[in-house]
Amino acid sequence: MAVYFDHRIEAPESSAVPSQLTWHSAIPVLAVASSSPTTGGNVDLYLHQGEYVESCHVECQHQPTVLRWHPTKPVIAIGWENGEVKLLTHPSGDQTILPSTHKACITLMEWSSSGSRLVSGDQTGGLAVWKVDARGKLQGNYLGKHEFNKPLTCCIFRPTSPGDDVAMLARASVGGDESALDMFSWKGAPLKMGPQEGLAFFVSTVDGKVLSVDEQCKTSTLLSVEGSIKKLFYHEKREVLAVITETMMLSQYTLGSEGSAQMFMKVKLSSKSGQNVDIVWTDNGLLITATGEQVIRLWDLERDDNYVLSLDEMLGFERGEIINCVSYCAGKEILAAGTSHGRIALWRMVAQPGSSSCDTKAQWKLQTPTEIQGNVTQLQWGSSLNLLAANNSDTVLILCEHVMSAHFSQQVAAMQLTPTQLSITNFKTGVNLALQSDVHIKGVCVIKDSVTVWNGKQITVYELSGTVLRNTGSFPCDSHVVAVHGENLYTVEPNRVQIRTPQGTVKQLLNFTKAEGNPMLLSVCQSYLVVGTDTAHIRVFDLSRRDAKAHCSAKNLSEQIPNLGALSSVKCNANGSQVSILISQVNGRRDHKVYFYDVEMDSVTYFDFFIGRPSSGISHPEDSERQQFQGTELSGRCPLSHFWDESEPRLFVCETAPISFESSTSYLDMVDVSVVTLFCTQEHGLLLQDCYPKPGGLQALLALDVPYYYFSCKPGERDPGSTEFLATTSPPTTQTQPSRGTPGQLPSMVSRRALRDFVGLENSEKATRDAMLNFSFYLTIGNMDEAFKSIKLIKSKVVWENMARMCVKTCRLDVARVCLGNMGNARAAKALKEAEVEPEQEAQVAMLAIQLGMLEDAEKLYKSCQRYDLLNNFYQASGQWQQALETAEIHDRIHLRTTYYSYAKYLESMGDKTLALAYYENSDTHRTEVPRMLQDDTSSLEIYVNKMKDKNIYKWWAQYLESQSDMDSALHFYQCAQDYLSLVRVHCYMGNIQKASEIANETGDRAASYHLARHYEGHDDIKQAVHFYTRAQAYNNAIRLCKENGLDDQLMNLALLSNPEDMMEAACYYEEKDTHMDRAVALYHKAGYVSKALELAFTTQQFSALQLIADDLNENSDPALLARCSDFFITHSQYEKAVDLLVAAKKYHQALELCVTQNLTITDELAERMTVTDSKDLSEEARKEVLERIADCCMRQGNYHLATKKYTQAGNKLKAMRALLKSGDTEKIVFFANVCRQKELFIMAANYLQSLDWRKNPEIVKTIIGFYTKGRAPDLLGGFYEACAQVEIDDYQNYEKALDALTEAAKCFSKVRDSTGKQEARMADLQHKITLIKKFVHLRRIYAEDAGEAVRLCEALLEEPELDPAVRIGDAFGFLVEHHCQQGNFQVAYRKLEELQKLLPSQNVRYYISQASVQALQKEMGTQMDSGDHRLHEKEDDEVEEDLNLA
């Protein structure tokens, strides 16, 4: 909260009544014009505290009419009633008289935005434009002059449209924006920098015209309105011109580019006729008017909204007080209004969290008024200091804002009420005093027996004794901060702290070095003084002795705290071991941290309210406390103020606010301020003790003194939950010296609130308080032994209850159980025990809070753990039905109907049946609850029944009418309810049986039919009774009647429709009568008694029925029964059915014998049924035997795949492979061999694959080789290689590959162990073949190099015995023939060919010779060679190369 110091201007005695005042926009200089009808007028300048500037006095015989300051220079233009215009310069007092242009009274003057132009206008319509240089000096004569012949009223300059943003274009150019780069280049269009100021302006006349004057002083009429124009405003953001006339008609115009104006809005402003109107326009489009009423009116032109602000008598305003004038300060967002009773009302723009930005009225908060006496006729904010000048018709006062001083110490609190008045409250004696000072109070410091005030120039000390305040000393001192301890005062001056007596005598000096800086901050706690300097050093002094002694050396905090700008506040604790520091950063912003300097450890730690955690260097608390840190809303905040408890050195409190408010001019008006209490110790660091929002109605935190927090508050604004202090009044006391303090009925400005742990213990003795504090500390650090030890001697139930309340805050249920036991609160202990079933700890703690009456805490806990079902129950139990309904509708919808029902019951108990009815409907219980509720009010109930049109309600009402013997009405409502049973029942009662039968037949209602059947049975109408029993599906009753009355035909049909028991009963009936045995068999079968049905069928020889029964037999049937049926089917040659039954009876051998003898096909399904999986049915050997027999049957039937499957299941893989081989399925054979991985199977598979056309399929060749290898059959593999080699020779004449294959065959044969000697002979033969093939391959290889040698070797080879089949003779002769043909020896070639023909008379020799050689021989020899049956193979380029995997 702030107060305004008022400084009366030091006006010279010759000054007359002030008539006008105006501030310079930047410099704190005020110009005041005064006038007298006799002596004329004068203009004087004053500084910010009212100091008179003698050099700037202007006198004239005429009255001053207009004052206008230059926007930047200390030059003011003054217009006089004789038409003279003067320029006055501050502080030199130089005066410049403008050339005499005006002959009449000056009515307007206006500077351009930068001050290079001055416009002046007079009463006759004369207008002049003057040019002023950068120093504020006039340059020559006027630039232009116009005569409009009408008095001029207003003038405003039109701002220019913004030009190109050069800085933005430069950044875009550097970033690579080519278009921006082109604007800087000479190729592009010239850059529009825009003029420095707008030189065009608008001027208005009394006849309602607005004229536009451009930069060249050319005029044109812009618009015209009715009546004289009082004000012109230009809204730069919307480019709108607003015009207000003397009749308070507001018109708004949009301005075109060609000098045109288009009106888009016109409205009549409310005003009181005959009064002077003060109008203020703000830059954000707010129009404020004071029209001599008790309210001020505001029009928000941007939002098209209007509202009023009125005075509040609760803040000291009087009824009928008139508002004369207004002024708005944009820098502080404060609206000031002067009243007829000498008060200045101030409205501050306050940001309300959660409020809509459109709700502007809610953001204006009326402050405590400032009183200046007289009738305030003019107000104006101005200068860079945001000073307020007020004219009260007698003098001018300058008001500057000052934060209201307040201090608390040793149970004494002082709060500033006005600039010169304090409210002193002594909480020990209960006395509230008022202190009136002779000077403005800028600071106050109190202790138990003295009050010290100062204003920066003088210090005054008052002695506080009971209800008396005595002035004990006053002395001049320039110290801006003062601290008090005992009889000593501590003041500051450069590089030292002075210790003075109350009379001002300096007793001791505490010197600081130049590096340590000048002391700026002082704070005393118990016997310790902490000093903070302008170089961010702190020193602590011990004041417990006669002289102050240094408690520690100076600490330079700038070395420990990064980005430190300046110290804002320093405080030390009660034993001088810890110093808390608030700082501002280098950029001037408030830091988010509170720093703690440990004097003994010489270390700095901090608590960061931005993240809500202490520094990492501080030891962390236990897990539960860490969770508490996370649960509290400490993040995103910054500290505002901080205090230590005066007696407990561990307890620290800090006031915090959201970061979004840290730039606010007055944090006292915030609603989201939190008070955070911490334990600070060297061993455990910082531990959160409590955090709660500052209560409404309270302002700033003043101090912490266990068991209370102390807050400042406004008069009339109290926190309902706080502990109020009642001031007592004392009779006047005789004094030897005049007293400045008087006991009175002043409202207390200080309110105190108990700490969380001391609620209910405010008046306890010190030992109890210390025990509670230790308990809270040890509970916070988790040391339960010490916590209980600190309170073991306390017997008070109040103390134990308070500790139980602490357990709610700390969520310590184990401690709470002990507290409840000491309290003897069995009910709470039982409730807490029952709450242990809840999985969430918060839910259990909430139950504890409920038992202790802490309903708000219980509500928060339920919300935090999201147990909305329990929260709903809590709201219901506490009677908060609206919250319960809201919770159920949003979060607990599963209990929504239950909540509606409970609320309806509550409303019914309260007698609100109308609303209860609605909630019964919402809960969907209205069908029973509403008739019950309205049963005593039949007329209302009948109306409700007809209104709802609900079947259940119709039925209830019909039953009620029936009970009243109103049968016709009852029938009507039964019909509406479609209750056919009741309709039939009533009709039967009334004897209208025909109508009842019609209803039962038409509706088919089973209950109605049953009732009607009973009625017919009672009247011996058996046929109708059976009919309606049947419609009611009461077949047992119908069967009973049929048996009793011999209705055998109907009995069969009814039994088939009924349940198995009824079928069994009917079958027994037929069997006993020995008639219709087929029906008996069918019913036994249908009822599930198959054995009985079969027995009866065999007995009565009903084979057709036996056939039907057999279809339902399965493996779950009786085996003997199955065997009997199978014999029956075999006898009747139905072998397939017999096989199925034998399989179902698990007689697999007989079934297989039957399949073999009767040549029955075994299907896959039948085979699966005969495959036994359960070892209980057959032994493993028997099971395998059955499977093999099944496979054998399948083999005989040619079903090889099924045979393979069964052989495999029997474990006989060899037979399974043979079955597969018979199937010829190569893919499955290969797969089966790879899966089984048995040598025999590999060999069998390879042998099978050799039977295929493997010569044309390399994959088969690879598979054969692989299988022989895996089967470890080298002899067979060798034989296969030999076959491959022969294929290469016979089919492709490829002796090279044949040689490779024979080599591999030799390797394989070498691995064969044979004792008979046959293998040796085979190996010798194979080696002989290899030798011959090698020779043939060699000679063909060397032919290109040495043809003669190759021919010689070939001829030698032909001499070899047993050459063929290793090397075919034809190939050798063919080689020679080819050679001789190439050499041209056709005769020799022909002889060789004839020789070959003799050796191979049965073969076509042309097969061994190329076609070209044959043609050449025929041509040369002239003979035609035999072209009989032969195989002539041409060499193919794409010959297939088989990969024999020769490894």
Side-chain angles (χ1 to χ4, degrees):
M1 193 164 61
V3 295
Y4 283 86
F5 289 177
D6 56 286
H7 303 280
R8 189 182 296 266
I9 61 172
E10 301 171 357
E13 295 181 358
S14 60
S15 295
V17 177
S19 58
Q20 295 185 58
L21 51 89
T22 181
W23 283 103
H24 192 281
S25 61
I27 307 170
V29 179
L30 175 68
V32 179
S34 55
S35 59
S36 172
T38 57
T39 62
N42 53 56
V43 176
D44 297 288
L45 303 186
Y46 301 91
L47 301 181
H48 67 283
Q49 290 192 353
E51 300 95 332
Y52 177 56
V53 183
E54 295 183 4
S55 61
C56 298
H57 177 73
V58 180
E59 289 188 3
C60 184
Q61 296 180 352
H62 303 279
Q63 308 295 332
T65 57
V66 184
L67 302 178
R68 289 291 184 273
W69 280 101
H70 189 283
T72 57
K73 303 299 179 183
V75 176
I76 186 171
I78 308 170
W80 304 86
E81 65 177 355
N82 64 343
E84 187 179 44
V85 178
K86 289 184 179 179
L87 300 181
L88 174 64
T89 303
H90 173 271
S92 64
D94 296 340
Q95 298 182 22
T96 303
I97 301 176
L98 271 63
S100 56
T101 304
H102 302 286
K103 304 301 181 182
C105 175
I106 299 297
T107 57
L108 66 83
M109 284 193 301
E110 197 67 41
W111 293 91
S112 62
S113 59
S114 296
S116 64
R117 297 289 188 273
L118 173 65
V119 177
S120 59
D122 59 30
Q123 187 72 29
T124 62
L127 180 75
V129 182
W130 311 87
K131 187 175 182 180
V132 182
D133 62 12
R135 297 171 299 168
K137 301 294 184 180
L138 182 69
Q139 290 187 333
N141 208 344
Y142 54 79
L143 292 178
K145 183 179 179 183
H146 298 278
E147 293 291 341
F148 298 108
N149 300 322
K150 295 289 183 182
L152 305 178
T153 58
C154 303
C155 175
I156 57 170
F157 276 83
R158 179 177 183 177
T160 59
S161 58
D164 295 320
D165 190 332
V166 179
M168 185 180 296
L169 288 173
R171 285 194 295 269
S173 300
V174 173
D177 190 338
E178 294 185 1
S179 60
L181 198 60
D182 290 342
M183 296 185 71
F184 279 109
S185 67
W186 61 273
K187 296 180 181 180
L191 193 64
K192 296 180 181 179
M193 301 294 291
Q196 296 298 312
E197 61 177 337
L199 301 180
F201 58 90
F202 305 110
V203 64
S204 62
T205 62
V206 294
D207 61 349
K209 290 184 179 179
V210 177
L211 306 166
S212 175
V213 183
D214 62 13
E215 292 86 347
Q216 287 77 32
C217 297
K218 296 180 181 180
T219 64
S220 61
T221 301
L222 182 66
L223 58 92
S224 178
V225 296
E226 296 181 1
S228 176
I229 297 177
K230 185 176 181 65
K231 288 285 185 180
L232 288 180
F233 299 109
Y234 186 77
H235 193 187
E236 187 173 356
K237 182 179 178 181
R238 299 170 59 199
E239 296 187 353
V240 168
L241 180 66
V243 180
I244 302 177
T245 66
E246 291 287 348
T247 59
M248 297 302 290
M249 187 67 71
L250 169 65
S251 304
Q252 294 187 62
Y253 296 85
T254 56
L255 304 181
S257 58
E258 299 179 356
S260 60
Q262 181 68 37
M263 184 175 68
F264 67 90
M265 196 273 284
K266 185 176 182 181
V267 64
K268 179 71 168 65
L269 303 180
S270 300
S271 65
K272 189 176 181 180
S273 60
Q275 297 288 333
N276 292 327
V277 179
D278 196 8
I279 304 175
V280 174
W281 171 268
T282 66
D283 292 337
N284 55 1
L286 196 63
L287 188 66
I288 308 168
T289 63
T291 59
E293 302 175 278
Q294 298 178 26
V295 298
I296 58 176
R297 303 181 183 276
L298 297 92
W299 282 267
D300 191 335
L301 301 184
E302 284 191 4
R303 299 183 179 90
D304 195 19
D305 187 20
N306 66 87
Y307 50 93
V308 299
L309 300 177
S310 57
L311 306 177
D312 187 356
E313 295 180 18
M314 296 293 293
L315 293 177
F317 294 98
E318 299 179 17
R319 187 183 298 274
E321 197 164 356
I322 303 300
I323 297 176
N324 298 324
C325 51
V326 292
S327 182
Y328 177 72
C329 177
K332 292 188 174 183
E333 294 186 324
I334 295 177
L335 176 62
T339 72
S340 59
H341 292 184
R343 295 185 181 89
I344 298 176
L346 300 168
W347 284 271
R348 186 184 297 274
M349 181 73 78
V350 178
Q352 298 286 347
S355 64
S356 171
S357 59
C358 298
D359 188 11
T360 314
K361 182 180 179 181
Q363 298 176 356
W364 290 105
K365 187 172 183 181
L366 181 61
Q367 310 293 303
T368 304
T370 299
E371 299 189 11
I372 62 172
Q373 307 298 326
N375 181 22
V376 183
T377 58
Q378 189 178 2
L379 289 175
Q380 190 181 50
W381 291 96
S383 86
S384 59
L385 302 179
N386 294 318
L387 302 174
L388 178 63
N391 182 359
N392 65 353
S393 303
D394 180 36
T395 184
V396 175
L397 293 94
I398 299 174
L399 285 81
C400 59
E401 188 178 23
H402 174 70
V403 177
M404 191 173 286
S405 300
H407 188 248
F408 177 93
S409 180
Q410 299 175 7
Q411 292 296 301
V412 179
M415 275 294 299
Q416 189 171 10
L417 298 176
T418 67
T420 59
Q421 190 178 36
L422 290 175
S423 171
I424 310 297
T425 305
N426 191 325
F427 286 90
K428 278 188 176 179
T429 61
V431 175
N432 191 16
L433 301 175
L435 172 62
Q436 186 69 38
S437 174
D438 294 330
V439 297
H440 288 158
I441 299 172
K442 290 189 176 180
V444 61
C445 185
V446 296
I447 56 176
K448 61 182 178 180
D449 54 6
S450 72
V451 179
T452 304
V453 297
W454 65 93
N455 66 350
K457 297 181 180 179
Q458 178 178 320
I459 298 176
T460 304
V461 181
Y462 297 90
E463 180 185 355
L464 177 60
S465 176
T467 60
V468 178
L469 280 169
R470 290 191 180 88
N471 188 336
T472 60
S474 181
F475 55 92
C477 181
D478 294 336
S479 177
H480 63 280
V481 59
V482 177
V484 180
H485 177 260
E487 295 292 327
N488 295 332
L489 273 66
Y490 301 85
T491 60
V492 299
E493 63 179 24
N495 294 112
R496 61 185 178 182
V497 173
Q498 301 167 324
I499 304 179
R500 300 173 181 262
T501 65
Q503 290 73 33
T505 304
V506 178
K507 296 169 57 177
Q508 184 183 354
L509 294 176
L510 305 178
N511 294 311
F512 289 71
T513 65
K514 186 175 181 180
E516 292 170 353
N518 300 318
M520 302 293 293
L521 303 170
L522 299 177
S523 179
V524 172
C525 185
Q526 287 287 26
S527 299
Y528 293 91
L529 168 70
V530 60
V531 183
T533 71
D534 56 359
T535 59
H537 285 70
I538 59 170
R539 292 182 63 183
V540 182
F541 296 91
D542 185 356
L543 310 180
S544 59
R545 304 182 186 129
R546 180 177 178 181
D547 293 334
K549 300 294 183 182
H551 185 57
C552 67
S553 59
K555 179 65 177 179
N556 185 5
L557 296 177
S558 60
E559 297 176 354
Q560 301 287 328
I561 303 176
N563 201 27
L564 190 153
L567 302 181
S568 300
S569 175
V570 294
K571 299 285 177 69
C572 68
N573 65 348
N575 62 7
S577 62
Q578 297 279 348
V579 178
S580 58
I581 306 112
L582 299 184
I583 70 165
S584 58
Q585 298 176 352
V586 175
N587 57 11
R589 295 176 67 88
R590 185 182 287 116
D591 199 300
H592 307 143
K593 305 180 183 71
V594 177
Y595 295 90
F596 295 88
Y597 172 58
D598 191 316
V599 175
E600 295 180 3
M601 301 297 294
D602 191 29
S603 62
V604 176
T605 55
Y606 62 83
F607 189 97
D608 191 347
F609 284 98
F610 182 75
I611 61 174
R613 289 186 177 276
S615 60
S616 57
I618 300 178
S619 59
H620 287 286
E622 299 296 328
D623 289 344
S624 60
E625 186 63 33
R626 189 176 297 115
Q627 294 172 2
Q628 188 176 355
F629 263 120
Q630 297 171 354
T632 53
E633 298 179 358
L634 292 178
S635 59
R637 309 182 76 84
C638 62
L640 303 177
S641 62
H642 60 131
F643 303 94
W644 293 90
D645 186 88
E646 289 193 346
S647 57
E648 173 52 57
R650 297 172 296 183
L651 203 55
F652 172 81
V653 66
C654 184
E655 193 176 18
T656 67
I659 293 176
S660 57
F661 291 112
E662 66 179 336
S663 60
S664 175
T665 56
S666 178
Y667 70 85
L668 301 176
D669 292 320
M670 299 176 198
V671 296
D672 192 19
V673 175
S674 294
V675 178
V676 180
T677 310
L678 303 170
F679 281 117
C680 181
T681 63
Q682 193 177 98
E683 298 81 7
H684 303 284
L686 295 174
L687 304 173
L688 179 67
Q689 195 265 346
D690 192 15
C691 173
Y692 76 100
K694 183 183 73 176
L698 303 183
Q699 291 194 307
L701 180 67
L702 285 183
L704 168 65
D705 191 7
V706 173
Y708 292 108
Y709 299 111
Y710 291 85
F711 295 91
S712 62
C713 63
K714 287 186 179 181
E717 293 189 15
R718 289 300 183 91
D719 170 34
S722 65
T723 305
E724 297 295 343
F725 168 75
L726 299 176
T728 62
T729 58
S730 303
T733 306
T734 305
Q735 308 168 39
T736 58
Q737 296 183 14
S739 170
R740 303 301 299 176
T742 60
Q745 300 297 332
L746 287 174
S748 176
M749 299 287 288
V750 179
S751 179
R752 59 187 184 181
R753 182 180 180 121
L755 274 74
R756 179 194 70 189
D757 302 344
F758 292 91
V759 175
L761 301 176
E762 295 87 348
N763 300 320
S764 59
E765 64 276 6
K766 186 177 186 304
T768 302
R769 292 203 302 267
D770 292 342
M772 286 299 301
L773 204 57
N774 288 329
F775 176 77
S776 178
F777 174 72
Y778 289 123
L779 189 64
T780 302
I781 65 175
N783 190 340
M784 300 310 303
D785 294 336
E786 291 294 332
F788 283 120
K789 190 182 299 183
S790 63
I791 58 170
K792 65 180 180 180
L793 299 178
I794 296 177
K795 303 299 182 183
S796 172
K797 288 186 177 181
V798 176
V799 176
W800 285 106
E801 181 179 357
N802 195 66
M803 286 190 289
R805 292 174 179 270
M806 291 168 56
C807 295
V808 172
K809 301 290 185 179
T810 56
C811 295
R812 294 301 298 263
L813 293 174
D814 51 348
V815 183
R817 295 186 186 94
V818 178
C819 296
L820 293 176
N822 285 278
M823 290 167 57
N825 193 339
R827 185 185 68 177
K830 178 177 180 293
L832 187 59
K833 181 68 175 177
E834 293 174 350
E836 291 178 357
V837 300
E838 303 297 342
E840 299 87 358
Q841 185 186 27
E842 293 88 344
Q844 301 177 32
V845 178
M847 178 53 69
L848 173 65
I850 291 172
Q851 297 302 318
L852 296 175
M854 304 170 67
L855 301 184
E856 292 184 3
D857 295 88
E859 181 180 357
K860 292 178 182 177
L861 286 165
Y862 280 138
K863 288 181 179 178
S864 66
C865 66
Q866 298 183 356
R867 285 301 302 271
Y868 296 106
D869 54 337
L870 299 178
L871 179 64
N872 186 1
N873 294 336
F874 164 76
Y875 282 141
Q876 294 181 41
S878 58
Q880 302 180 60
W881 287 103
Q882 293 305 319
Q883 291 90 329
L885 292 172
E886 185 177 332
T887 301
E889 289 169 353
I890 298 175
H891 301 291
D892 189 28
R893 295 193 64 84
I894 195 171
H895 296 117
L896 180 59
R897 288 176 55 186
T898 306
T899 306
Y900 284 148
Y901 178 77
S902 300
Y903 186 42
K905 296 288 286 184
Y906 167 77
L907 292 171
E908 183 182 353
S909 67
M910 300 300 293
D912 191 351
K913 293 186 178 182
T914 303
L915 195 55
L917 187 146
Y919 279 98
Y920 276 134
E921 291 177 357
N922 289 342
S923 67
D924 200 26
T925 59
H926 60 286
R927 296 174 182 85
T928 56
E929 294 297 334
V930 173
R932 177 194 54 76
M933 181 176 67
L934 299 178
Q935 62 184 353
D936 296 332
D937 187 0
T938 55
S939 59
S940 299
L941 181 54
E942 184 174 3
I943 294 171
Y944 181 76
V945 169
N946 290 318
K947 171 189 171 184
M948 291 304 294
K949 299 180 180 179
D950 185 274
K951 292 181 180 180
N952 292 319
I953 298 177
Y954 277 143
K955 181 178 178 179
W956 189 94
W957 182 243
Q959 289 171 345
Y960 172 77
L961 293 174
E962 184 181 353
S963 68
Q964 301 296 316
S965 299
D966 188 356
M967 295 300 180
D968 293 336
S969 299
L971 285 172
H972 169 69
F973 283 103
Y974 279 136
Q975 182 66 43
C976 293
Q978 296 181 1
D979 185 0
Y980 303 114
L981 171 60
S982 297
L983 282 171
V984 169
R985 178 176 52 78
V986 174
H987 279 302
C988 290
Y989 172 77
M990 296 173 65
N992 194 354
I993 307 302
Q994 185 62 32
K995 182 64 176 176
S997 299
E998 292 177 3
I999 293 172
N1001 284 319
E1002 289 174 2
T1003 62
D1005 186 80
R1006 293 172 59 185
S1009 299
Y1010 184 81
H1011 182 86
L1012 188 57
R1014 292 290 300 272
H1015 180 80
Y1016 277 122
E1017 184 181 356
H1019 290 77
D1020 295 329
D1021 192 344
I1022 303 303
K1023 182 178 180 182
Q1024 288 295 330
V1026 171
H1027 168 71
F1028 284 106
Y1029 275 135
T1030 305
R1031 289 188 64 84
Q1033 297 181 18
Y1035 301 115
N1036 55 347
N1037 287 320
I1039 290 171
R1040 175 178 52 80
L1041 289 179
C1042 289
K1043 287 164 59 179
E1044 291 174 357
N1045 295 277
L1047 302 176
D1048 293 349
D1049 294 335
Q1050 293 187 27
L1051 177 61
M1052 180 63 183
N1053 295 329
L1054 291 171
L1056 291 174
L1057 293 172
S1058 187
N1059 53 41
E1061 289 77 10
D1062 292 335
M1063 293 181 190
M1064 183 69 177
E1065 187 178 346
C1068 292
Y1069 170 77
Y1070 283 125
E1071 187 178 2
E1072 289 173 0
K1073 290 185 67 175
D1074 199 18
T1075 58
H1076 304 293
M1077 299 305 287
D1078 56 337
R1079 295 180 181 180
V1081 172
L1083 288 173
Y1084 278 130
H1085 179 214
K1086 188 73 172 177
Y1089 294 91
V1090 181
S1091 59
K1092 180 67 174 177
L1094 283 172
E1095 183 180 352
L1096 192 58
F1098 281 121
T1099 303
T1100 58
Q1101 297 294 310
Q1102 297 184 42
F1103 302 114
S1104 59
L1106 190 62
Q1107 187 83 15
L1108 292 173
I1109 296 171
D1111 292 337
D1112 293 336
L1113 296 176
N1114 52 41
E1115 59 272 9
N1116 296 323
S1117 303
D1118 183 11
L1121 191 63
L1122 292 170
R1124 189 174 179 183
C1125 289
S1126 64
D1127 293 341
F1128 169 78
F1129 285 117
I1130 292 173
T1131 304
H1132 291 80
S1133 301
Q1134 296 188 19
Y1135 303 112
E1136 292 182 356
K1137 189 65 177 177
V1139 168
D1140 289 338
L1141 292 176
L1142 287 172
V1143 171
K1146 298 180 181 178
K1147 295 187 177 183
Y1148 305 114
H1149 293 286
Q1150 296 179 21
L1152 287 171
E1153 288 294 339
L1154 188 59
C1155 289
V1156 172
T1157 57
Q1158 300 301 327
N1159 196 22
L1160 299 179
T1161 302
I1162 298 178
T1163 62
D1164 291 352
E1165 181 185 357
L1166 182 59
E1168 289 301 321
R1169 288 177 61 194
M1170 287 191 287
T1171 302
V1172 182
T1173 58
D1174 194 350
S1175 60
K1176 295 180 181 179
D1177 297 331
L1178 287 176
S1179 63
E1180 186 64 23
E1181 292 76 10
R1183 174 180 170 276
K1184 290 182 177 180
E1185 182 184 355
V1186 170
L1187 288 172
E1188 288 199 14
R1189 291 198 62 186
I1190 296 171
D1192 293 341
C1193 290
C1194 292
M1195 285 288 287
R1196 284 195 293 269
Q1197 295 172 3
N1199 193 346
Y1200 301 116
H1201 286 100
L1202 185 56
T1204 302
K1205 182 177 180 182
K1206 295 306 164 183
Y1207 279 134
T1208 304
Q1209 290 175 348
N1212 196 334
K1213 296 180 180 178
L1214 193 60
K1215 286 189 175 182
M1217 175 58 84
R1218 288 173 181 164
L1220 263 182
L1221 293 176
K1222 286 194 174 185
S1223 70
D1225 192 333
T1226 304
E1227 184 178 352
K1228 288 187 177 181
I1229 291 170
V1230 172
F1231 175 79
F1232 188 73
N1234 284 319
V1235 169
C1236 294
R1237 306 190 67 80
Q1238 290 184 5
K1239 293 192 296 182
E1240 296 83 358
L1241 301 187
F1242 280 130
I1243 295 172
M1244 291 173 69
N1247 292 339
Y1248 165 77
L1249 292 175
Q1250 280 203 68
S1251 66
L1252 304 178
D1253 189 6
W1254 53 267
R1255 297 169 182 80
K1256 297 181 180 179
N1257 194 336
E1259 289 298 322
I1260 296 179
V1261 174
K1262 292 168 63 177
T1263 304
I1264 293 171
I1265 294 172
F1267 280 179
Y1268 279 137
T1269 304
K1270 294 174 183 178
R1272 298 177 184 178
D1275 53 340
L1276 298 176
L1277 180 58
F1280 178 67
Y1281 275 127
E1282 277 192 288
C1284 290
Q1286 198 61 45
V1287 168
E1288 292 296 333
I1289 293 172
D1290 293 342
D1291 293 351
Y1292 305 106
Q1293 299 178 6
N1294 192 335
Y1295 285 89
E1296 287 81 1
K1297 283 191 176 184
L1299 179 62
D1300 293 337
L1302 291 175
T1303 304
E1304 290 297 324
K1307 292 179 181 179
C1308 293
F1309 288 138
S1310 66
K1311 298 176 182 178
V1312 178
R1313 297 176 182 177
D1314 184 17
S1315 58
T1316 59
K1318 293 181 179 179
Q1319 192 65 28
E1320 293 180 2
R1322 188 174 185 182
M1323 279 292 294
D1325 181 58
L1326 183 61
Q1327 289 296 336
H1328 178 66
K1329 287 183 179 180
I1330 291 173
T1331 302
L1332 295 176
I1333 292 174
K1334 281 183 178 180
K1335 290 180 179 180
F1336 186 67
V1337 169
H1338 174 68
L1339 67 89
R1340 290 206 304 186
R1341 188 175 297 161
I1342 67 172
Y1343 177 78
E1345 299 173 0
D1346 190 353
E1349 179 65 17
V1351 170
R1352 187 187 64 78
L1353 291 175
C1354 185
E1355 289 178 347
L1357 184 63
L1358 287 172
E1359 299 296 329
E1360 289 285 341
E1362 299 181 1
L1363 177 62
D1364 204 345
V1367 178
R1368 294 186 302 182
I1369 296 174
D1371 291 331
F1373 276 100
F1375 175 78
L1376 294 175
V1377 170
E1378 291 287 341
H1379 167 71
H1380 290 301
C1381 286
Q1382 289 177 7
Q1383 297 296 323
N1385 300 325
F1386 294 104
Q1387 292 289 342
V1388 178
Y1390 189 73
R1391 286 197 303 269
K1392 291 292 181 183
L1393 188 61
E1394 287 180 339
E1395 187 178 350
L1396 176 61
Q1397 188 66 54
K1398 292 177 182 179
L1399 292 173
L1400 301 175
S1402 62
Q1403 294 186 17
N1404 183 9
V1405 295
R1406 295 179 60 181
Y1407 171 75
Y1408 302 103
I1409 305 170
S1410 66
Q1411 185 67 25
S1413 298
V1414 170
Q1415 293 176 356
L1417 279 173
Q1418 290 177 348
K1419 181 178 179 181
E1420 292 295 331
M1421 300 304 296
T1423 61
Q1424 184 68 27
M1425 298 185 68
D1426 184 19
S1427 58
D1429 184 23
H1430 65 277
R1431 296 179 299 143
L1432 189 60
H1433 294 273
E1434 297 182 357
K1435 299 290 179 75
E1436 295 178 359
D1437 295 332
D1438 56 344
E1439 179 179 319
V1440 178
E1441 298 287 339
E1442 292 87 4
D1443 182 12
L1444 298 180
N1445 192 18
L1446 304 177

